[in-house]
Amino acid sequence: MSDVLSRAKERLRAVLERSARLSAVERILISTAALVLAVLVGAVLILVSGRMTTCTTAAATYFGVGFCYDPVTVFDRLFFGALGDPMNPLFRPFQGEFAPPFRKGWSPFNAAMAVTLRETTVLVLTGLSVALAFRSGVFNIGTQGQLVAGALASALGLLVLAPLVPGGVMGTVLLVPTGLGIGAVAGGLYGAIPGVLKAYADANEVITTIMLNFVAAQFALYLVSNHFQRPDSQVVETVPLPDGATIPSVVFDPRMKFSLFALAIAIGFGGVIYYLLRYTTLGYDLRTSGLQPTGAEYGGVKTKRTIVASLTLSGALGGLGGAMYVMMILGNFQTGVPSYGFDGITVAILAGNNPLGVLFAAPLFGIIKSGAIVIDTSTSMPPQLVDVLRGLIVLFVAMPEFFRMIGRRTIAEKPNPDGGEEDA
């Protein structure tokens, strides 16, 4: 019996090691195959659900059987609806019709695209936050709380400072960087708390960061509802920020609540974090302390300080995402902040904790989140089933990278004669 378990353990270890050594092309192919498989399984679920419900007219008929929900329409809404329906229905190359591929009148600056890109902007920052911590060997599950802390501090700070600065362009130039800085500092300080607890009190960062998520949400609820509540409002929210304190839109209509300037900042931070981890001494300390903490400490890395630094930087990115959420999307602070921080965990896993990979993983989740809204408004499918589809796609796409991450840890546990590491 022990021999069977031993062989099974070795095989599992071999599978994890093979997963860890996948090339970038292999990972892209696996992710694409996982996405296709998720769509196929989701289509079966939609058809089965469509047979279990009652409708006056069938949405689709396959093999002579009517179904209340059409999976082709649902996935068309999910992916193309999130981009504003760019495809020309007359473009059917497989049927010999080569009309222009893009629909006449379609513009990339449409409202659905704006929703997708603004979701992507925040997800880039929360994904970077989680990826940075994971690369440092620290499981930061508290990006959501750090995002709330940054959002709240940014909103309150701007409300205090806005009357003190001139209006117009000069006010925007002063207030926007200040608001982003306040959010980053607040998120960083909030992230430093579990870092200090882990480094100097040996507290498990998974537990502390999860608990601090609840603390941030409840503290924000108390503070806003008791001291900063907007008069005559039925929801718990602050008064709106002045126009000069919001991130100005570029190209897109201001009513769409998206700014290319904000997206450029988020992408820029992706490059900065990649450079930090790849080419700086601090990045080397962060990577080695996460991969081989004992070896790193033997090599002179101050692991306790590194743990605090990693969670502080991670929290700062989460707080910056919160500031973006307030200054670009809402225009004030409201309780019930969407789960951008938790979605960032999935984005980071899909990206293999690579900051540049986050820039490609975040748009996929931005499309899914935006497309789910389009499905909800343009089909009769219940929102609960839309959530199931979202979860299914996330599960199928992220799971290979999850095993790869475990595989990298499995390899890291073995003695490394070179003392280095393999980049994601």
Side-chain angles (χ1 to χ4, degrees):
M1 185 66 179
S2 60
D3 291 340
V4 175
L5 291 176
S6 178
R7 285 198 296 273
K9 185 177 179 181
E10 285 301 317
R11 287 178 182 175
L12 177 60
R13 188 182 185 90
V15 170
L16 292 176
E17 289 182 355
R18 283 199 299 273
S19 300
R21 294 193 176 96
L22 290 175
S23 66
V25 174
E26 290 172 326
R27 289 162 58 190
I28 292 173
L29 290 176
I30 290 175
S31 296
T32 304
L35 181 61
V36 172
L37 187 59
V39 170
L40 293 176
V41 174
V44 173
L45 281 178
I46 293 170
L47 291 174
V48 171
S49 302
R51 288 296 298 171
M52 296 174 67
T53 189
T54 304
C55 55
T56 55
T57 305
T61 302
Y62 295 104
F63 308 107
V65 180
F67 299 88
C68 290
Y69 310 131
D70 183 7
V72 175
T73 301
V74 169
F75 284 110
D76 175 80
R77 298 293 79 209
L78 180 63
F79 293 110
F80 293 118
L83 304 177
D85 295 319
M87 301 307 298
N88 185 353
L90 300 178
F91 177 65
R92 290 174 290 193
F94 295 110
Q95 301 175 20
E97 298 182 19
F98 294 94
F102 292 105
R103 181 171 53 84
K104 187 178 180 181
W106 176 80
S107 167
F109 310 116
N110 59 73
M113 183 71 83
V115 174
T116 300
L117 292 179
R118 78 189 188 203
E119 296 291 320
T120 299
T121 301
V122 182
L123 288 172
V124 166
L125 292 170
T126 57
L128 288 173
S129 168
V130 178
L132 175 65
F134 280 7
R135 286 297 293 270
S136 307
V138 181
F139 287 91
N140 181 15
I141 315 297
T143 295
Q144 180 69 20
Q146 293 143 19
L147 180 140
V148 172
L152 178 63
S154 177
L156 297 183
L158 288 173
L159 288 175
V160 171
L161 294 175
L164 306 178
V165 300
V169 177
M170 181 58 69
T172 301
V173 170
L174 293 174
L175 287 176
V176 169
T178 302
L180 296 177
I182 292 174
V185 170
L189 292 175
Y190 203 66
I193 296 174
V196 171
L197 292 175
K198 177 180 175 60
Y200 299 100
D202 199 25
N204 188 307
E205 78 276 15
V206 176
I207 303 299
T208 55
T209 51
I210 288 176
M211 298 307 294
L212 284 170
N213 286 335
F214 295 103
V215 172
Q218 294 304 313
F219 182 70
L221 176 64
Y222 163 78
L223 202 62
V224 176
S225 60
N226 289 279
H227 300 286
F228 299 99
Q229 172 66 30
R230 180 182 184 180
D232 302 325
S233 176
Q234 299 301 313
V235 298
V236 181
E237 62 177 349
T238 65
V239 296
L241 299 176
D243 292 339
T246 57
I247 302 176
S249 63
V250 181
V251 180
F252 283 82
D253 190 310
R255 292 171 297 180
M256 297 179 185
K257 300 180 179 179
F258 167 69
S259 171
L260 280 175
F261 181 63
L263 179 60
I265 292 175
I267 293 174
F269 269 96
V272 169
I273 298 302
Y274 178 79
Y275 182 85
L276 171 74
L277 288 173
R278 182 83 177 179
Y279 297 108
T280 66
T281 303
L282 175 60
Y284 176 80
D285 292 348
L286 292 173
R287 287 185 291 125
T288 52
S289 63
L291 204 62
Q292 293 181 336
T294 305
E297 192 163 4
Y298 182 76
V301 176
K302 298 183 182 303
T303 53
K304 291 184 178 179
R305 187 184 301 174
T306 304
I307 290 171
V308 177
S310 65
L311 275 168
T312 302
L313 289 173
S314 176
L317 289 167
L320 187 61
M324 290 278 191
Y325 176 65
V326 163
M327 299 172 64
M328 179 178 66
I329 299 177
L330 283 186
N332 70 346
F333 179 84
Q334 296 178 9
T335 55
V337 178
S339 59
Y340 291 111
F342 297 114
D343 292 335
I345 297 174
T346 316
V347 170
I349 291 176
L350 177 61
N353 298 324
N354 186 318
L356 297 183
V358 168
L359 302 183
F360 295 94
L364 172 63
F365 285 85
I367 288 174
I368 293 174
K369 288 173 74 73
S370 175
I373 299 173
V374 177
I375 292 176
D376 197 26
T377 56
S378 61
T379 72
S380 60
M381 204 168 74
Q384 293 84 355
L385 190 53
V386 177
D387 291 338
V388 170
L389 291 180
R390 284 180 53 192
L392 198 64
I393 293 173
V394 169
L395 179 67
F396 273 68
V397 174
M399 192 55 71
E401 286 300 332
F402 179 72
F403 282 112
R404 181 174 178 273
M405 189 171 68
I406 296 176
R408 294 187 73 234
R409 284 188 158 272
T410 304
I411 292 176
E413 289 174 359
K414 288 184 173 181
N416 188 346
D418 299 329
E421 69 159 308
E422 178 188 355
D423 265 341

